[in-house]
Amino acid sequence: MSVGIVRAHRLAYVTGYGLGWTLGQWAGQRTAAHSGGQPGATTFLLLVPARGCAVVVLANRGAVIGLPDLARSLAGTACE
């Protein structure tokens, strides 16, 4: 692994942002999340690696608020 990748990985846990992914926690487990969108669509991906689980929320509308909260709520069912 390159020195740059190792530094970025360490920095991610300080800032909560790493190489385009937001790093955090859900139910005591580490998570990685990424959001995106374009006019007419909004997306959110939540990964819970320790549980082998991923939740994807897609909306056919731009700038939808609350997708991260919806993904975490769905994880309560999908990742248990």
Side-chain angles (χ1 to χ4, degrees):
M1 194 178 307
S2 76
V3 173
I5 295 292
V6 171
R7 284 186 187 144
H9 185 261
R10 287 184 184 148
L11 182 61
Y13 286 101
V14 173
T15 65
Y17 182 83
L19 302 174
W21 293 88
T22 301
L23 305 177
Q25 288 200 1
W26 169 85
Q29 302 291 317
R30 287 185 178 178
T31 62
H34 187 74
S35 62
Q38 60 186 30
T42 307
T43 64
F44 189 81
L45 169 64
L46 177 67
L47 303 175
V48 187
R51 299 207 182 173
C53 186
V55 175
V56 179
V57 181
L58 308 172
N60 288 331
R61 189 164 198 185
V64 174
I65 296 171
L67 290 188
D69 293 333
L70 178 58
R72 287 182 186 89
S73 178
L74 292 170
T77 300
C79 301
E80 288 296 323

